[in-house]
Amino acid sequence: MLPDAVESAMGSLDPAACDRTDPDGRVVDGTGGVDAGTMSTLAVVPCVLSEVDWLTPDQQVRLLAVASAVAGTVRRLADDPGSAITYGVARLCGALDHATRTD
């Protein structure tokens, strides 16, 4: 479930889906291109880690890092697509590479 959510989120990133004001002047929270179900899956990871006692603490931290980095990428893209593209996405992808290393 988490691998599918990560793949879906990273494949759906869309800087056009950023925070904005609609024609009536109301603020609309952007989604960064990622659907609510995928974000819900990423958000539940910290809540269920205590239940997966068969994973080592290192594995739990890595899962938390991956879910947090992906959710952070989506939110940053929705909040500020310009700086996310220039600085944020590459750094968070580096964090993902580190968290998913096999050593």
Side-chain angles (χ1 to χ4, degrees):
M1 183 153 49
L2 180 59
D4 293 337
V6 169
E7 184 176 351
S8 175
M10 295 304 285
S12 300
L13 292 176
D14 181 3
C18 59
D19 296 346
R20 62 195 175 285
T21 305
D22 72 8
D24 296 325
R26 290 179 295 227
V27 174
V28 177
D29 286 333
T31 63
V34 180
D35 66 271
T38 300
M39 289 304 291
S40 178
T41 299
L42 295 170
V44 79
V45 171
C47 302
V48 299
L49 277 178
S50 63
E51 298 173 18
V52 289
D53 56 357
W54 63 90
L55 294 175
T56 67
D58 185 62
Q59 291 168 323
Q60 291 177 345
V61 167
R62 288 173 190 241
L63 287 175
L64 183 61
V66 168
S68 297
V70 173
T73 299
V74 173
R75 191 67 247 150
R76 182 151 186 200
L77 190 66
D79 289 345
D80 185 5
S83 72
I85 292 168
T86 305
Y87 306 106
V89 174
R91 282 192 140 160
L92 287 168
C93 286
L96 285 174
D97 286 343
H98 183 78
T100 58
R101 71 189 189 282
T102 57
D103 60 343

